[in-house]
Amino acid sequence: MSDVPILPLTKALTIATSDSGGGAGIQADLKTFAAFGVFGLSVVSGVSAQNTVAVTGLECLSPGLVTLQLEAVFSDIGVDTVKIGLLGNPENARAAGAFLARLSPRPDVVLDPVMVSASGHAFLDRESVEAVRELFPLATLVTPNIPEAEALTGLKIKTEDDYVRAGEKIMEMGAGQVLIKGGHSGGTKSDDLLVGPQGVHWFTVERVRTRNNHGTGCTLSSAVAACLARGEDLEGAVRLAKTYVAGAMEASVDLGRGPGPLNHFFPYYVYGKLS
Ligand code: PXL
């Protein structure tokens, strides 16, 4: 008998955009699902031309094709959890929202309100941000970083109270729970705040000193979705996801001239020179 592990079959779906550089977007999401032993499904909303330095192009697929992909996946295969990443335009956000709103029962949805790439490219105009905000009532968890939470709420986030107020404001927009990610805060720790109906919970990990942060947000939200698919509760899923992202950053890859990608498979191998 082989000693390959046998896992219960769980399925996570990402609705997001392709990153030709392989570090963020759909590619990061599918790698993350695979690292957690969750079968990954993908509905592609758009295709970006990018590397570690810049985003040089982004085209969205039609909302009709987004809906057809969703129908194909849900009608035959089924989905335990959904992660929503960059949808790219209001039409595709509305198509995804309309489809998910009709599902009963609806799987848990982890929504990463992606606005800016690690290389500094602004992905969404005002109308697209508004369309993403309209998806919040469908989301079990929304995972903004500090600049995204500030853009969504109009608040400045500096103190612990600011985190709480921003999380509560995003819950008022309909999100089930909110994880404000402190990665942009500076300091030696990377503190995230989970705000939910039961109160707040801080998660702290030691900040990983690397400039390779391309795709960290995508990876965190996908890891939460994967852990939920495997039956973790939300707090447990966030804790495991944060530990996973820290490990993947420790093992990150010096690829390209800008911020490189994570090593999503660090539990299985790292890259280096053979001695
Ligand atoms: O990490 C945010 C993100 C999401 N989706 C795509 C991206 C990025 C960041 O670069 O490229 C396609």
Side-chain angles (χ1 to χ4, degrees), residues 17-19 24-25 48 50 86 114 117-118 123 214-215 218:
T17 289
S18 167
D19 168 8
S48 72
Q50 66 171 300
L86 178 66
V114 179
S117 77
F123 280 123
H214 185 90
C218 306

Side-chain angles (χ1 to χ4, degrees), residues 111-135:
L111 171 55
D112 185 14
V114 179
M115 293 183 193
V116 179
S117 77
S119 59
H121 181 84
F123 280 123
L124 300 186
D125 57 19
R126 276 249 318 275
E127 197 194 348
S128 300
V129 172
E130 196 43 53
V132 169
R133 211 199 308 247
E134 278 164 23
L135 300 177

Side-chain angles (χ1 to χ4, degrees), residues 84-85 87-94 96-98 109 111-115 124-144 147-155 166-178:
I84 299 179
L87 297 173
N89 66 18
E91 292 78 10
N92 285 355
R94 284 185 209 117
V109 174
L111 171 55
D112 185 14
V114 179
M115 293 183 193
L124 300 186
D125 57 19
R126 276 249 318 275
E127 197 194 348
S128 300
V129 172
E130 196 43 53
V132 169
R133 211 199 308 247
E134 278 164 23
L135 300 177
F136 287 2
L138 298 168
T140 313
L141 180 70
V142 178
T143 63
E148 289 159 354
E150 288 181 339
L152 287 164
T153 61
L155 299 171
E168 284 172 351
K169 204 157 172 193
I170 295 171
M171 276 184 66
E172 282 161 21
M173 297 172 192
Q177 303 204 35
V178 184

Side-chain angles (χ1 to χ4, degrees), residues 13-17 26 43 66 70 82-87 96 100:
L13 167 68
T14 172
I15 313 174
T17 289
I26 289 273
V43 165
V66 168
L70 286 163
V82 178
K83 175 253 161 90
I84 299 179
L86 178 66
L87 297 173
L100 294 173

Side-chain angles (χ1 to χ4, degrees), residues 116-254:
V116 179
S117 77
S119 59
H121 181 84
F123 280 123
L124 300 186
D125 57 19
R126 276 249 318 275
E127 197 194 348
S128 300
V129 172
E130 196 43 53
V132 169
R133 211 199 308 247
E134 278 164 23
L135 300 177
F136 287 2
L138 298 168
T140 313
L141 180 70
V142 178
T143 63
N145 58 30
I146 290 176
E148 289 159 354
E150 288 181 339
L152 287 164
T153 61
L155 299 171
K156 271 272 152 223
I157 301 174
K158 293 220 154 51
T159 66
E160 293 191 359
D161 281 352
D162 298 338
Y163 277 70
V164 175
R165 258 193 294 280
E168 284 172 351
K169 204 157 172 193
I170 295 171
M171 276 184 66
E172 282 161 21
M173 297 172 192
Q177 303 204 35
V178 184
L179 183 71
I180 313 253
K181 298 175 294 185
H184 291 69
S185 65
T188 57
K189 298 267 195 279
S190 174
D191 294 344
D192 298 352
L193 181 69
L194 182 64
V195 182
Q198 263 78 271
V200 305
H201 186 99
W202 285 97
F203 295 87
T204 301
V205 296
E206 212 53 44
R207 181 178 294 279
V208 179
R209 291 275 157 216
T210 175
R211 72 182 201 119
N212 297 329
N213 64 355
H214 185 90
T216 45
C218 306
T219 300
L220 183 85
S221 51
S222 298
V224 173
C227 292
L228 291 175
R230 292 193 59 166
E232 292 291 331
D233 64 23
L234 191 54
E235 210 176 294
V238 171
R239 185 170 299 108
L240 283 170
K242 270 189 75 75
T243 306
Y244 171 74
V245 169
M249 286 178 84
E250 295 273 7
S252 65
V253 190
D254 289 323

